[in-house]
Amino acid sequence: MHAFLNRRRLLALVSASAAILAAGLAASASAGNGHSGFRPGGASITSQPWGTAPGGQPVSLYTLTSGRGMTVTITNYGGIVQSIDVPDRNGQAANVALGFSSLAGYVADDTTTTASGETYFGAIIGRYANRIANGEFTLNGTTYTLPQNNGTNTLHGGPDSWNMQVWAATPISGRHSVSLQLTYTDPAGTNGFPGTVTAKVVYTLTQDDALQIDYTATTTAPTVINLTNHTYFNLAGEASGDVYNQELMINADSYTPINANLIPTGVIAPVAGTPFDFRTPKPIGQDINNADPSMVYAHGYDQNWVLNRSGPGLSLAATAYDPVSGRVLTTYTTEPGVQLYSGNFLVGDLVGTSGHTYRQSDGFTLETQHYPDSPNEPSFPSTVLNPGTPFNSTTIYQFSTADQFPTGP
Ligand code: GAL
């Protein structure tokens, strides 16, 4: 019943999204760094200067509004989703995304060493999201060596990766949505990866409060690719405390257990009887202290779930619900996996958007992606990108409100 209702809702959503995107692309327009705005049927996008990146490039902050109460700010530094304001069940908006109040906060996160480590708050992660073991992989008989920036692993594309680049930005105005198109070209050899990759990421905010992310990438030579967005959500509001009482359902019967380096062992294991069983909604904190080895190694949730799907295309990944505010986040994706990370490394040394520090479990990510270390696990879905065959991926973060955990429309 639950699955059936969600499928009906999803089909309606997917066809609406396709129409929205078609309308948006037909009516595309571009703007520079000054103030600019569009108001198509309620949705709007404006921009303002937001400082200068370490390389000297000007950076902008774009404000997308749905016309129904939702506002998202995105900067073209790292393609970072800086804030997501969403109404609660009484219409009171709060920012449900962790982040920093200024560009300097993000630059410091990327360039200075703190006990919390690099958070990647809200950023586009590429060209390989998550970990590659021992900083190396072999493709078509050649072994590529990458810089190790996470113990012996290469994490989130390695140092100075896509989350730190200034992306070319084009606002797009549609009839029922607004979009921000971001493009970046990653030269061959950067961080040891072969092939020049040209990436396009389009953030679309729809009039029904969905934040859709469309990723496209092409390469000049065979390489590996894994793209995601690294927003930390707290449905009660950023800096409102931990998310332990927020409820989560993950549409996955299995997950990929990890070793002490947080690298998948290669086994696809059932979630049944483990803390990774979110098939029925439960509070995120319910099993957070479970002594399963994958929990101990990661200090909480920081694993990959193998999503249930009946074929290719968009399908339900997860639903999160905050019983206090009534906010609901439903995630759909074309990707085969999702990484739930409970902010385990946040230790209270970073001052967030509203001037409060962030501590462990003050937010959770739902990083839709291919499985970690896929380039070294032939049994996992392939992350190889070849010339002539573009990479395409879509994730939708749909916001709504409810009086109880939603089981259907
Ligand atoms: C996550 C990763 C965590 C941690 C975090 C950034 O995607 O799985 O282990 O590195 O990013 O602090």
Side-chain angles (χ1 to χ4, degrees), residues 116-121 125 129-131 150 155-156 228 230 232 262 298 301-303 339-341 343-346 365 367 369:
S116 290
E118 193 170 353
T119 67
Y120 301 88
F121 282 154
I125 309 294
N130 217 307
R131 293 175 170 80
N150 175 255
L155 176 67
H156 294 334
T228 196
H230 211 276
Y232 295 54
L262 311 194
Y301 289 113
D302 193 2
Q303 299 82 17
Q339 183 96 0
L340 166 66
Y341 170 55
N344 310 326
F345 300 119
L346 300 174
T365 70
E367 300 159 56
Q369 58 189 244

Side-chain angles (χ1 to χ4, degrees), residues 292-352:
D292 182 288
S294 291
M295 294 293 281
V296 175
Y297 297 143
H299 306 177
Y301 289 113
D302 193 2
Q303 299 82 17
N304 166 69
W305 275 251
V306 174
L307 292 171
N308 298 336
R309 54 169 59 251
S310 51
L314 274 169
S315 100
L316 177 68
T319 304
Y321 168 67
D322 173 33
V324 177
S325 68
R327 290 191 188 91
V328 177
L329 166 61
T330 312
T331 303
Y332 303 92
T333 190
T334 56
E335 286 297 300
V338 67
Q339 183 96 0
L340 166 66
Y341 170 55
S342 51
N344 310 326
F345 300 119
L346 300 174
V347 297
D349 60 350
L350 300 174
V351 180

